[in-house]
């Protein structure tokens, strides 16, 4: 088949009945237990999210274990079911560290192929008793795109210890487990580190999007265990990031869906000049453009999700495409969310800015749009050819 | 009655049949050889149009006679009563074979006019028209737009006046008709009652294109070529038996034709976008950073556009009505066409606008100048946006003044 055609069974782009039920359950739960006022309230707590709801999601619904195999305490569904949960979480702006824990850390463990590490950590991720994240996986935006790890691992008398720093670590100040990509003489490897105050300095960053905390993590001889082999490490890191992009795309679709829905509802009831502002063509056409963008984002996200669910070799292309189109859509949908609400949309009290912050934060989380396009160009043969 | 075959089984069957009647399409071919045409609208002389139409008709008859056309129609009309998306499944397979490219008059006849006849026609009309149209022995063009009735189609001025009990006389001037030179029938939207509010006074007729009083003249569009026609109706006598749908109900008949037109525009522009990406990959110099960004962006756009199409198919296969993904296709596609022009302009620079004779360069002017037509034809981008806002998002209509 031509390489520009999606390589996927179209049925995988369509929601199953089970997925639809999960969506309904979660949408109801978030509406009941995690409205925007609850989100604001929990942002101000030390851990930054509703820990009781976290436990309910893991226990009652089993969100955390959806994409974790049964042998590691999960329910053995696929990434497609997890993506439904993430879309609904993104729609509600649920601010717990689902992305770093159940997507990034869980998939880094799974993709590492290290059974011992999986057995040790995945059951606790699945049951909601462990929060986790990854560090040093992506270029941190300061290293000029260098893939040289900023953290190094050395074999001491009592095992591996980590030194160096990783910035922009999601939930870096709170996560109980950090999977770190660190350099060793045999090349970069993944390490599991349970941070302790003496050997790991964690400084929360002030962040634009408070629903997604980040921290600078400095390892000062932090004890760690190697996860997987050096040979598999870079592949696992790259696949983890692509899975993260697919997950983020699903969240972005959810957030965009909220922005469009809330704006449509508002312009239909807000009257100016004696008529609903939604009856003005200028307003209608802007929202029609958001709808077109949202359908594009849904399509890109569905493809990335399907590729992640079946571990397709197309995942890198699909993840890049989804990252670009879903970031663009979320940015546009939230900009219209503010604009079409007029003055009220510019207030602190209105939720629109929380979504703007989420959108701006998300679009640079796993690389910028330019970086995704550059990578895509390389993957599909559009890279600049080296001058002869 | 046999049951409905599974999609995979059906596709395999289609492939087997196609392999017996058509040659596989030469894959890719050498870049730099073969046709470099990227025309958005066909640009034929009348003779070329007739020749090509005859070739397509021959293929369509083979398809129909051997049971691979009219798939969603009942057996009495030569079909197999399959769900509508089996046509898409068939097309997916057909794309791999070297069969003549169908100009617009064919989908207009088979996918727009025939279904409207199926919906609105009398039993006599159905038995007289459907088989010849599905088999493309008869071709039908749309006599819809007028100079004063574009987006506001219900403002048509073409009048149909009763002559006795069994005939009407049509007078008016229609524009932007594709295929009028080869069509045997024209579907004319006319005013029959000037005394009622505009939508209520409309009636639809099928007009013989060779009837006395019908004059077809080509319109030269901004590409320089002629792909459309204007059609003059000067006192054309039409028997009442060729009226489609009740008198005064023509607006609903028209809408059912237009609704079919808006679907299936999802794959618009993809061929040329692919060609532009091939151009980017085959340039004799390295792409600049900006060009690479633009090309990657177009690449992911074609991917997403195809995914939207697959989602529509997937919904239909699952027995669900597709949602918004089915209605946003045309707007997404016209943007793809614009971005294709923009990328090509970056890539080719001066050799796009001055003909050096080099293969695959100046030929792109056909795309550049043709692409804007699709943002107008079949409902302008602005009309599409209004439709999306009102029918999909449910926003209030403009107040009636």
């Amino acid at each position: 088949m031509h390489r520009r055609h999606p390589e996927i069974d179209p049925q995988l782009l369509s929601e199953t009945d089970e997925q639809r039920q999960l969506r309904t359950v979660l949408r109801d739960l978030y509406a009941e237990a995690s409205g925007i006022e609850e989100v604001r309230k929990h942002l101000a707590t030390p851990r930054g999210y509703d820990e009781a709801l976290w436990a309910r999601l893991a226990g009652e619904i089993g969100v955390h274990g959806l994409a974790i195999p049964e042998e590691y305490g999960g329910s053995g569904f696929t990434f497609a079911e997890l993506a439904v949960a993430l879309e609904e979480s993104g729609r509600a702006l649920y601010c717990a560290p689902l992305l770093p824990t159940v997507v990034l850390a869980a998939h880094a463990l799974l993709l590492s192929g290290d059974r011992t590490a999986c057995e040790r950590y995945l059951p606790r991720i699945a049951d909601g008793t462990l929060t986790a994240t990854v560090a040093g996986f992506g270029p941190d935006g300061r290293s000029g795109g260098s893939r040289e790890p900023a953290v190094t691992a050395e074999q001491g008398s009592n095992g591996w210890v980590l030194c160096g720093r990783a910035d922009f670590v999601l939930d870096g100040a709170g996560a109980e487990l950090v999977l770190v990509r660190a350099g060793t003489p045999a090349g970069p490897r993944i390490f599991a580190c349970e941070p302790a105050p003496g050997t790991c300095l964690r400084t929360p960053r002030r962040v634009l999007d408070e629903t997604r905390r980040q921290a600078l993590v400095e390892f000062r001889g932090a004890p760690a265990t190697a996860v997987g082999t050096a040979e598999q490490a870079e592949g696992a890191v790259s696949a983890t990031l692509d899975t993260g992009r697919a997950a983020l795309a699903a969240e972005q679709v959810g957030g965009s869906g909220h922005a469009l829905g809330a704006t449509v509802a508002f312009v239909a009831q807000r009257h100016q000049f004696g008529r609903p502002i939604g009856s003005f063509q200028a307003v209608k056409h802007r929202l029609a453009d958001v709808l077109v963008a949202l359908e594009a984002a849904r399509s890109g996200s569905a493809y990335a999700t399907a590729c992640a669910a079946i571990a397709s070799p197309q995942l890198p292309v699909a993840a890049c495409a989804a990252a670009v189109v879903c970031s663009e859509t979320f940015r546009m949908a939230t900009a219209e969310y503010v604009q079409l609400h007029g003055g009220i949309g510019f207030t602190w009290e209105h939720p629109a800015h929380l979504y703007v912050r989420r959108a701006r934060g998300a679009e640079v989380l796993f690389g910028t749009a330019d970086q995704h396009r550059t990578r895509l160009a390389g993957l599909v043969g559009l890279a600049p050819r080296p001058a002869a | 009655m046999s049951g409905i075959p599974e999609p995979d089984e059906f596709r395999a069957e289609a492939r087997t049949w196609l392999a017996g009647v058509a040659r596989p399409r030469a894959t890719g071919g050498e870049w730099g050889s073969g046709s470099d045409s990227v025309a958005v609208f066909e640009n034929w002389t009348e003779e070329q149009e007739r020749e090509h139409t005859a070739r397509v008709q021959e293929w369509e008859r083979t398809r129909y006679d051997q049971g691979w056309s009219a798939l969603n129609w009942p057996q009495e009309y030569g079909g197999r009563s399959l769900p509508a998306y089996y046509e898409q499944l068939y097309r997916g397979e057909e794309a791999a074979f070297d069969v003549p490219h169908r100009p617009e008059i064919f989908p207009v006849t088979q996918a727009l006019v025939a279904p409207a006849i199926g919906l609105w026609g009398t039993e006599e009309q159905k038995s007289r028209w459907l088989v010849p149209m599905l088999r493309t022995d008869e071709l039908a063009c749309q006599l819809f737009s007028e100079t004063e009735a574009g987006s506001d189609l219900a403002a048509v001025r073409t009048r149909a006046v009763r002559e006795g009990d069994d005939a009407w006389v049509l007078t008016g001037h229609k524009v932007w008709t594709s295929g009028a030179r080869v069509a045997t029938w024209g579907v004319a939207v006319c005013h029959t009652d000037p005394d009622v509010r505009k939508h209520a006074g409309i009636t639809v007729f099928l007009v013989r294109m060779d009837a006395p009083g019908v004059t077809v003249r080509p319109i030269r569009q901004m590409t320089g070529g002629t792909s459309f026609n204007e059609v003059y109706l000067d006192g054309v006598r039409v028997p009442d038996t060729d009226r489609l749908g009740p008198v005064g109900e023509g607006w609903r008949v028209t809408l059912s034709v237009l609704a079919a037109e808006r679907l299936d525009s999802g794959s618009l522009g993809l061929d040329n976008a692919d060609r532009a990406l091939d151009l980017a990959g085959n340039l004799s110099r390295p792409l600049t950073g900006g060009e690479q960004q633009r090309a990657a962006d177009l690449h992911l756009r074609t991917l997403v556009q195809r995914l939207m199409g697959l989602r529509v198919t997937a919904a239909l296969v699952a027995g669900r009505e597709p949602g918004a993904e089915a209605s946003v296709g045309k707007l997404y596609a016209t943007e793809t066409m614009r971005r294709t022009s923009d990328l090509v302009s970056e890539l080719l620079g001066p050799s796009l606008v001055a003909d050096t004779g080099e293969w695959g360069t100046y030929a792109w002017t056909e795309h550049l100048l043709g692409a804007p037509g699709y943002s107008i034809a079949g409902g302008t981008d602005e009309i599409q946006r209004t439709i999306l806002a009102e029918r999909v998002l449910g926003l209030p209509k403009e107040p009636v003044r």
Side-chain angles (χ1 to χ4, degrees):
Chain A
M1 215 183 237
H2 198 286
R3 66 172 196 272
R4 283 185 203 113
H5 287 258
E7 291 178 27
I8 202 77
D9 174 356
Q11 285 318 108
L12 295 177
L13 303 173
S14 171
E15 204 163 77
T16 63
D17 289 339
E18 223 159 26
Q19 288 165 4
R20 219 182 337 274
Q21 284 164 11
L22 175 64
R23 182 183 299 286
T24 310
V25 167
L26 283 169
R27 197 170 290 190
D28 292 349
L29 178 63
Y30 283 130
E32 166 225 315
S34 187
I36 209 72
E37 291 318 312
E38 274 87 358
V39 169
R40 285 184 200 257
K41 191 177 84 192
H42 288 105
L43 288 180
T45 64
R47 196 61 183 90
Y49 65 93
D50 183 347
E51 291 171 84
L53 180 58
W54 174 268
R56 277 183 77 189
L57 284 172
E60 279 175 36
I61 302 176
V63 164
H64 297 52
L66 283 171
I68 294 177
E70 282 168 295
E71 59 177 313
Y72 301 126
S75 51
F77 284 96
T78 70
F79 184 79
E81 284 71 32
L82 180 56
V84 169
L86 292 164
E87 184 183 332
E88 291 308 312
S89 307
R91 174 182 290 272
L93 218 61
Y94 178 55
C95 54
L98 275 176
L99 184 65
T101 302
V102 307
V103 179
L104 298 174
H107 284 83
L109 288 165
L110 284 168
L111 291 159
S112 75
D114 186 325
R115 296 192 54 90
T116 311
C118 287
E119 278 164 9
R120 181 164 184 193
Y121 294 118
L122 285 176
R124 288 159 62 201
I125 288 181
D127 70 13
T129 54
L130 179 72
T131 56
T133 190
V134 300
F137 273 37
D140 71 5
R142 290 181 183 176
S143 51
S146 158
R147 294 292 299 154
E148 204 52 52
V151 179
T152 52
E154 276 174 33
Q155 201 129 32
S157 49
N158 291 320
W160 293 95
V161 290
L162 303 176
C163 288
R165 46 188 274 157
D167 210 345
F168 314 113
V169 178
L170 294 180
D171 197 33
E176 294 142 331
L177 167 69
V178 187
L179 294 165
V180 189
R181 175 177 172 270
T184 75
R189 290 184 70 173
I190 301 172
F191 291 88
C193 173
E194 296 173 38
T199 53
C200 194
L201 185 61
R202 310 203 273 175
T203 316
R205 294 291 191 193
R206 191 151 75 102
V207 282
L208 175 75
D209 171 18
E210 290 189 307
T211 65
R212 186 127 54 207
R213 295 189 172 186
Q214 301 183 28
L216 168 67
V217 181
E218 291 167 275
F219 300 95
R220 299 175 170 179
T225 49
V227 174
T229 62
E231 291 71 41
Q232 283 173 311
E234 291 299 72
V237 165
S238 174
T240 298
L241 285 175
D242 280 333
T243 308
R245 291 177 183 113
L248 186 64
E251 274 193 6
Q252 289 169 316
V253 165
S256 305
H258 163 84
L260 178 60
T263 310
V264 165
F266 176 78
V267 301
Q269 58 83 23
R270 164 81 172 167
H271 279 64
Q272 289 286 275
F273 305 100
R275 55 191 264 207
I277 61 169
S279 68
F280 288 101
Q281 200 173 64
V283 171
K284 278 181 190 166
H285 285 193
R286 294 179 82 124
L287 288 170
D289 285 339
V290 176
L291 178 69
V292 175
L294 180 56
E295 285 307 315
R298 272 190 203 293
S299 304
S301 164
Y303 185 43
T305 287
C307 287
I310 61 165
S312 160
Q314 293 301 311
L315 176 61
V317 167
C320 286
V324 173
V325 68
C326 296
S327 294
E328 233 168 52
T329 297
F330 198 14
R331 183 201 292 184
M332 170 189 188
T334 50
E336 296 297 356
Y337 191 4
V338 174
Q339 176 66 21
L340 295 177
H341 275 74
I344 191 78
F346 192 63
T347 61
W348 180 258
E349 289 72 22
H350 197 278
H353 73 93
L354 298 176
Y355 285 87
V356 170
R357 291 162 182 271
R358 176 59 84 84
R360 288 294 183 177
E363 71 178 57
V364 294
L365 200 53
F366 299 127
T368 64
D370 269 25
Q371 287 166 341
H372 297 310
R373 282 188 289 253
T374 303
R375 177 164 175 242
L376 181 76
L379 291 168
V380 302
L382 289 167
R385 280 180 286 185
Chain B
M1 281 284 298
S2 60
I4 293 171
E6 286 298 311
D8 284 342
E9 187 189 325
F10 173 83
R11 282 195 194 102
E13 239 187 281
R15 267 196 302 278
T16 309
W17 177 74
L18 282 158
V21 290
R23 276 203 311 268
R25 191 177 292 282
T27 44
E30 199 61 12
W31 178 256
S33 66
S35 165
D36 65 352
S37 168
V38 283
V40 174
F41 296 103
E42 313 292 352
N43 178 23
W44 286 319
T45 63
E46 182 163 355
E47 193 185 343
Q48 287 168 327
E49 185 174 12
R50 287 192 187 287
E51 268 173 27
H52 189 84
T53 303
R55 244 194 338 271
V56 180
Q57 276 172 313
E58 194 187 335
W59 168 244
E60 287 300 309
R61 284 168 193 152
T62 304
R63 206 159 81 87
Y64 181 89
D65 294 345
Q66 300 192 25
W68 286 94
S69 184
L71 296 168
N72 61 325
W73 289 87
Q75 225 161 20
E76 56 176 314
Y77 301 118
R80 303 203 220 168
S81 298
L82 292 173
Y85 64 86
Y86 275 71
E87 180 69 21
Q88 277 162 276
L89 299 181
Y90 168 80
R91 300 262 177 216
E93 299 306 321
E94 199 198 60
F97 289 86
D98 188 18
V99 301
H101 168 73
R102 261 174 283 251
E104 216 172 304
I105 187 75
F106 287 87
V108 166
T109 303
Q110 295 165 301
L112 269 54
V113 177
I117 291 170
L119 205 58
W120 292 95
T122 61
E123 287 309 314
E124 183 274 326
Q125 288 173 330
K126 286 194 250 184
S127 61
R128 180 155 56 99
W129 282 331
L130 283 178
V131 169
M133 285 193 187
L134 292 170
R135 198 172 177 270
T136 71
D137 296 329
E138 304 275 0
L139 293 172
C141 60
Q142 287 168 283
L143 301 173
F144 279 29
S145 297
E146 299 179 5
T147 53
E148 301 305 316
S151 291
D152 185 11
L153 185 60
V156 289
R157 293 175 175 183
T158 294
R159 294 286 314 277
V161 179
R162 261 192 197 279
E163 191 188 73
D165 283 346
D166 56 0
W168 299 75
V169 173
L170 274 52
T171 305
H173 175 208
K174 296 289 182 178
V175 292
W176 297 115
T177 299
S178 331
R181 294 189 292 207
V182 293
T184 47
W185 292 96
V187 180
V189 179
C190 305
H191 239 266
T192 40
D193 189 348
D195 299 329
V196 294
R197 279 229 344 237
K198 70 181 184 186
H199 293 87
I202 289 174
T203 307
V204 169
F205 297 90
L206 265 72
V207 183
R208 286 292 308 174
M209 292 300 284
D210 58 5
V214 177
T215 312
V216 177
R217 285 194 198 143
I219 295 175
R220 193 171 187 200
Q221 73 266 8
M222 69 183 250
T223 59
T226 52
S227 310
F228 304 92
N229 304 277
E230 52 183 340
V231 176
Y232 289 89
L233 304 169
D234 291 318
V236 181
R237 196 173 175 283
V238 174
D240 191 52
T241 48
D242 290 351
R243 168 172 50 79
L244 184 60
V247 174
E249 293 282 334
W251 185 242
R252 291 172 60 207
V253 181
T254 306
L255 286 182
S256 57
V257 178
L258 291 175
E261 184 168 5
R262 266 189 288 277
L263 295 175
D264 204 35
S265 45
S267 60
L268 213 57
L270 285 173
D271 287 349
N272 280 0
D274 281 344
R275 284 291 274 262
L277 291 167
D278 289 341
L279 174 67
N282 282 284
L283 230 48
S284 58
R285 60 177 175 79
L287 296 178
T288 66
E291 287 166 345
Q292 192 193 13
Q293 290 286 317
R294 226 182 255 270
D297 213 50
L298 186 64
H299 179 101
L300 69 87
R301 208 172 165 67
T302 61
L303 188 66
V304 165
Q305 194 172 328
R306 289 188 164 107
L307 285 162
M308 285 189 186
L310 287 181
R311 283 178 58 219
V312 175
T313 311
L316 293 167
V317 171
R320 284 202 314 276
E321 274 292 297
E325 65 268 28
S327 23
V328 303
K330 185 167 185 263
L331 274 175
Y332 199 78
T334 54
E335 181 65 26
T336 300
M337 296 177 97
R338 276 189 290 280
R339 298 212 190 173
T340 297
S341 294
D342 296 347
L343 174 64
V344 166
S345 170
E346 287 292 336
L347 295 176
L348 292 176
S351 57
L352 171 63
V353 296
D355 192 358
T356 59
E358 197 189 333
W359 186 92
T361 58
Y362 192 74
W364 277 101
T365 54
E366 286 284 343
H367 176 87
L368 198 77
L369 292 170
Y374 266 114
S375 290
I376 298 167
T380 63
D381 285 355
E382 289 67 31
I383 290 289
Q384 302 291 350
R385 286 190 177 92
T386 300
I387 289 170
L388 287 181
E390 291 178 2
R391 298 202 200 142
V392 181
L393 297 177
L395 289 172
K397 288 183 178 299
E398 294 272 334
V400 181
R401 280 189 303 271

